[in-house]
């Protein structure tokens, strides 16, 4: 699917299947393939549309704000019939902004651990060493520092991930990941705005994720009038990859129990 956004840029998504539409927004460092295992399981009942986020489109110039990204979400959503948003990590922050901007376009949302700002900036000064490593031509190290200091992954896992990415085709996305974090920080604390979202929202978190993500999710759950928490035991920040059947089942149950009831 290719749709011209309000600013003249082109939004792109992978559009598959028939039925109730689900608009999927991937997280940091990702692309539409990140959620394919989940959407493959949903497609017998649903039309799944996997957005290629503007922030991670290498054919589009930097610097990209959350407002810029919302224009692409809006353009795709307007082509669908009130889709359910399913979004992960920074993509879930983008989904929240899309819901605030145009709530009438959507039927509900499933958000997996959005790293919203609830106090101090998400990155702030902690991003400076990562930026310095990137300026020195070391994207793998930059990502490792980001994962250790901002995502708060254990250092060995963070540096292993940085090592792998630094030698892969994903290395060019590291600068976009840092930009993505800056875009979230630029939003500041938005809980009062999110409190105006009256649609049903399922908030998913893993009990093996970094603790600060649970704190952010709890703050969001307290703010959302129709927010509901679901903890995936034994999962971390990437259940869409490690437990796609569980994620797909949670989405399907939410649509049947919360969204369809709300629409009715």
């Amino acid at each position: 699917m290719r749709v011209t956004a309000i600013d003249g840029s082109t939004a792109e998504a992978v559009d598959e299947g028939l039925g109730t539409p689900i608009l999927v927004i991937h997280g940091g460092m990702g692309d539409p393939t990140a959620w394919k295992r989940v959407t493959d399981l949903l497609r017998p009942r649903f039309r799944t549309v996997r957005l290629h986020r503007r922030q991670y489109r290498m054919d589009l110039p930097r610097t990209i704000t959350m407002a810029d990204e919302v224009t692409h979400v809006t353009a795709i959503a307007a082509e669908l019939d009130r889709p359910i948003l399913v979004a992960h990590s920074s993509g879930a922050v983008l989904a929240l902004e899309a819901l605030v901007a145009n709530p009438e376009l959507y039927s509900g949302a499933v958000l997996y651990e959005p790293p919203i700002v609830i106090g101090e900036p998400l990155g702030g000064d902690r991003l400076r060493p990562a930026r310095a490593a990137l300026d020195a031509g070391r994207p793998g190290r930059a990502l490792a520092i980001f994962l250790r200091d901002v995502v708060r992954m254990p250092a060995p896992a963070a540096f292993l991930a940085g090592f792998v990415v630094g030698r892969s085709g994903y290395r060019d996305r590291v600068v976009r990941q840092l930009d993505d974090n800056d875009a979230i920080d630029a939003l500041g604390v938005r809980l009062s705005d999110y409190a105006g979202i009256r649609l049903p929202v399922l908030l998913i978190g893993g009990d093996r994720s970094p603790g600060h993500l649970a704190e952010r999710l709890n703050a969001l759950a307290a703010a959302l009038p129709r927010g509901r928490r679901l903890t995936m035991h034994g999962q971390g920040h990437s259940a869409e990859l490690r437990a796609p059947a569980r994620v797909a089942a949670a989405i399907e149950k939410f649509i049947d129990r919360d969204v369809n009831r709300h629409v009715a």
Side-chain angles (χ1 to χ4, degrees), residues 29 55-56 58 62 131 134 139 142 170-182:
M29 294 290 292
Q55 186 70 263
Y56 293 93
M58 297 301 130
R62 299 169 60 214
R131 288 283 185 193
L134 198 59
Y170 285 81
R171 58 182 290 141
D172 292 340
R173 301 185 193 185
V174 175
V175 64
R176 299 300 184 105
Q177 174 66 87
L178 302 189
D179 288 350
D180 199 3
N181 192 101
D182 287 344

Side-chain angles (χ1 to χ4, degrees), residues 207-223:
D207 63 359
R208 293 187 178 179
S209 294
H212 72 98
L213 292 175
E215 294 172 8
R216 299 174 198 280
L217 206 58
N218 289 336
L220 183 58

Side-chain angles (χ1 to χ4, degrees), residues 3-260:
V3 182
T4 300
I6 193 170
D7 62 357
S9 61
T10 301
E12 295 184 352
V14 179
D15 183 5
E16 299 171 309
L18 298 171
T20 300
I22 297 174
L23 177 51
V24 181
I25 306 176
H26 63 80
M29 294 290 292
D31 60 31
T33 64
W35 277 72
K36 187 177 186 302
R37 298 179 192 177
V38 176
T39 57
D40 282 350
L41 295 168
L42 292 170
R43 202 171 310 120
R45 283 190 60 196
F46 303 99
R47 178 183 181 184
T48 61
V49 180
R50 290 178 281 132
L51 178 72
H52 193 174
R53 283 181 59 190
R54 187 171 187 166
Q55 186 70 263
Y56 293 93
R57 291 261 304 279
M58 297 301 130
D59 59 315
L60 297 177
R62 299 169 60 214
T63 299
I64 296 167
T65 66
M66 277 288 169
D68 293 333
E69 289 213 85
V70 167
T71 64
H72 279 203
V73 179
T74 301
I76 296 294
E79 297 295 310
L80 307 173
D81 181 15
R82 297 192 67 210
I84 295 94
L85 282 173
V86 172
H88 174 239
S89 195
S90 60
V93 179
L94 171 56
L96 285 164
E97 292 299 309
L99 289 167
V100 169
N102 301 101
E104 72 283 355
L105 290 180
Y106 309 98
S107 295
V110 178
L111 308 179
Y112 197 111
E113 294 184 337
I116 59 170
V117 177
I118 59 174
E120 65 177 8
L122 185 65
D125 290 342
R126 288 189 292 271
L127 272 187
R128 289 183 181 178
R131 288 283 185 193
L134 198 59
D135 292 343
R138 303 180 67 186
R141 180 168 179 78
L143 180 64
I145 294 170
F146 169 79
L147 293 174
R148 181 194 64 190
D149 296 347
V150 178
V151 179
R152 303 181 201 176
M153 285 175 55
F159 280 89
L160 177 60
F163 177 83
V164 172
V165 168
R167 286 156 177 77
S168 74
Y170 285 81
R171 58 182 290 141
D172 292 340
R173 301 185 193 185
V174 175
V175 64
R176 299 300 184 105
Q177 174 66 87
L178 302 189
D179 288 350
D180 199 3
N181 192 101
D182 287 344
I184 293 173
D185 279 346
L187 294 172
V189 179
R190 296 272 286 163
L191 288 170
S192 61
D193 297 278
Y194 301 152
I197 298 171
R198 302 295 173 178
L199 297 169
V201 180
L202 177 64
L203 302 171
I204 301 179
D207 63 359
R208 293 187 178 179
S209 294
H212 72 98
L213 292 175
E215 294 172 8
R216 299 174 198 280
L217 206 58
N218 289 336
L220 183 58
L224 291 172
R226 303 199 63 201
R228 184 164 59 82
R229 283 279 271 115
L230 171 64
T231 299
M232 288 205 167
H233 299 287
Q235 295 300 316
H237 194 53
S238 301
E240 81 284 2
L241 298 175
R242 298 183 180 276
R246 291 177 64 184
V247 175
I251 293 168
E252 190 166 3
K253 182 177 180 180
F254 167 74
I255 293 173
D256 288 339
R257 190 177 78 173
D258 295 69
V259 175
N260 290 344

